[in-house]
C-alpha cells in the first residue's frame, strides 16, 4: 500500500482542527453586538459548508482506499463522516436563520423604516440558532479523533508497513497531542498557562513547549474571549499522533461520546 503525502487518519485529524476553529468563532459571534453578529454570522456560513464537503470527501477517500477491508469499524467511520457532514449542513442552515432574524432589524430593506432595535425575542431566537449551530458541530474534533483512531487501528491490522516510524513520545506528550486534536487546549498568553476543558487531564506548559520545540503543535490566535491562543497540531503533529493512535497505549477513541444529533428533522440541503 503506497503511503500518500497525507494518510487517511492524518486527514481526519486536520478536519477536526477545522471543526475546532469553526466552533471557536461561533462562540465569539454569539457574544457580539447584533450588528456585528449579523455580518460575522453571514461571513461564517461558508465555513460549516466547507466542513460538510470535507467530511464527505474524507468518506469517499476511505471508501476508495485500496485494500481497506469494510469491517465494522470502517463502517462506523464512514457513518461518522456522513453524520458530521449532515450536522454541518444543518448548522449552516441555523446560521442562515440567525442572519435573517438579525438583518431584518439591523439592515432593513429599501423603503422599510429602520428598526429602533431588536426585540428581546428576536435577539434570543437568533442567539438560539447560533448556539444550535455550535452544539451540532461542537464535538466535531472529538469525533474526528475517534474516527482517526478506529481507522488507524484498522489500517495497522491490514497494512502494518504503511505507517510512519513510531515517534518517541512520552505518555504525557501523547495525551497532550490527543487533547489538542480534540480541541481541548488553549493558552493564557499573559501567564503562559495551559487551559484545558473540564474532564481533560492536567497538561503542563513544559509538555507543551517540548512538543512545540519538535514542531508537533503550533499556537494560533483564538477567537474565544479570555483565551489568547489555541493549540493545533502541525502536519508533523498529525503524522506523529496518527502513528500511535489505535495502539494499546492510546485511550480507545471508540469510547468518545457521539456527536450531538438534531432533535428535529431539517432539510439536509437548501
Amino acid at each position: 500500500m503506497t503511503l500518500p503525502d497525507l494518510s487517511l487518519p492524518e486527514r481526519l485529524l486536520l478536519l477536526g482542527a477545522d471543526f475546532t476553529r469553526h466552533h471557536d468563532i461561533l462562540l465569539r459571534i454569539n457574544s457580539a453586538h447584533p450588528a456585528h453578529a449579523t455580518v460575522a454570522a453571514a461571513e461564517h456560513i461558508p465555513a460549516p459548508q466547507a466542513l460538510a464537503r470535507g467530511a464527505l470527501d474524507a468518506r469517499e477517500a476511505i471508501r476508495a482506499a485500496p485494500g481497506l477491508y469494510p469491517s465494522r469499524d470502517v463502517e462506523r467511520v464512514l457513518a461518522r463522516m456522513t453524520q458530521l457532514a449532515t450536522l454541518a449542513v444543518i448548522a449552516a442552515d441555523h446560521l442562515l436563520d440567525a442572519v435573517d432574524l438579525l438583518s431584518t432589524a439591523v439592515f432593513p430593506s429599501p423603503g422599510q423604516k429602520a428598526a429602533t432595535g431588536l426585540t428581546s425575542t428576536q435577539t434570543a431566537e437568533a442567539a438560539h440558532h447560533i448556539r444550535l449551530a455550535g452544539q451540532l458541530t461542537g464535538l466535531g474534533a472529538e469525533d474526528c479523533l475517534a474516527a482517526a483512531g478506529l481507522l488507524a487501528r484498522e489500517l495497522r491490522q491490514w497494512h502494518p508497513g504503511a505507517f510512519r516510524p513510531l515517534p518517541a513520545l512520552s505518555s504525557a506528550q501523547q495525551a497532550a497531542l490527543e487533547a489538542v486534536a480534540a480541541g481541548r487546549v488553549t493558552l493564557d498568553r499573559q501567564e503562559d498557562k495551559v487551559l484545558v476543558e473540564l474532564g481533560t487531564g492536567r497538561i503542563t506548559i513544559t509538555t507543551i513547549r517540548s512538543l512545540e520545540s519538535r514542531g508537533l503543535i503550533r499556537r494560533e490566535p483564538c477567537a474565544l474571549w479570555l483565551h489568547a491562543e489555541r493549540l493545533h497540531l502541525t502536519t508533523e503533529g498529525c503524522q506523529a499522533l496518527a502513528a500511535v493512535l489505535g495502539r494499546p497505549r492510546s485511550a480507545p477513541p471508540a469510547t468518545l461520546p457521539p456527536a450531538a444529533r438534531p432533535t428535529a428533522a431539517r432539510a439536509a440541503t437548501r
Side-chain angles (χ1 to χ4, degrees):
M1 180 178 180
T2 303
L3 185 69
D5 292 338
L6 200 64
S7 72
L8 291 173
E10 293 162 18
R11 182 170 176 171
L12 295 183
L13 293 174
L14 289 177
L15 178 63
D18 288 337
F19 270 96
T20 296
R21 294 184 183 96
H22 153 75
H23 193 248
D24 284 350
I25 292 172
L26 284 186
L27 291 176
R28 184 67 175 259
I29 290 173
N30 213 17
S31 62
H33 183 277
H36 297 298
T38 304
V39 175
E43 291 177 344
H44 189 64
I45 289 171
Q49 293 171 337
L51 291 174
R53 288 193 299 271
L56 292 177
D57 288 347
R59 183 189 67 181
E60 295 312 307
I62 294 166
R63 281 180 171 169
L68 185 60
Y69 181 74
S71 67
R72 184 178 181 184
D73 281 347
V74 170
E75 291 300 323
R76 286 174 176 172
V77 173
L78 293 173
R80 185 57 57 90
M81 291 301 103
T82 301
Q83 291 166 354
L84 284 177
T86 302
L87 293 172
V89 169
I90 298 173
D93 285 347
H94 278 295
L95 288 181
L96 284 166
D97 290 341
V99 170
D100 288 343
L101 280 166
L102 293 170
S103 61
T104 299
V106 178
F107 306 110
S109 301
Q112 289 184 334
K113 184 179 179 181
T116 57
L118 287 166
T119 66
S120 59
T121 300
Q122 287 174 307
T123 302
E125 189 174 352
H128 177 65
H129 281 295
I130 297 173
R131 281 196 302 272
L132 281 176
Q135 290 169 358
L136 288 167
T137 53
L139 295 179
E142 293 191 21
D143 279 353
C144 286
L145 175 62
L150 289 172
L151 196 56
R153 186 171 63 190
E154 197 70 18
L155 288 168
R156 190 172 286 109
Q157 177 179 351
W158 295 99
H159 305 282
F163 281 81
R164 305 174 196 273
L166 286 176
L169 293 173
S170 67
S171 58
Q173 289 174 328
Q174 180 175 336
L177 288 178
E178 291 179 356
V180 168
R184 291 175 167 264
V185 189
T186 56
L187 293 176
D188 181 333
R189 186 186 303 163
Q190 290 185 340
E191 298 184 12
D192 207 18
K193 179 181 179 182
V194 183
L195 306 174
V196 297
E197 291 185 8
L198 291 176
T200 305
R202 182 173 178 266
I203 299 174
T204 67
I205 191 64
T206 301
T207 299
I208 295 303
R209 287 172 177 162
S210 69
L211 294 172
E212 284 182 305
S213 68
R214 296 174 60 179
L216 301 183
I217 59 175
R218 66 169 177 267
R219 307 183 187 200
E220 294 182 7
C222 185
L224 297 179
W225 296 107
L226 304 179
H227 296 254
E229 295 170 317
R230 166 74 70 183
L231 290 177
H232 285 287
L233 300 181
T234 62
T235 301
E236 293 76 13
C238 289
Q239 294 170 357
L241 182 55
V244 298
L245 279 179
R247 296 175 64 84
R249 60 176 293 188
S250 299
T255 63
L256 290 173
R261 304 295 176 238
T263 56
R266 290 175 61 102
T269 58
R270 287 188 77 86

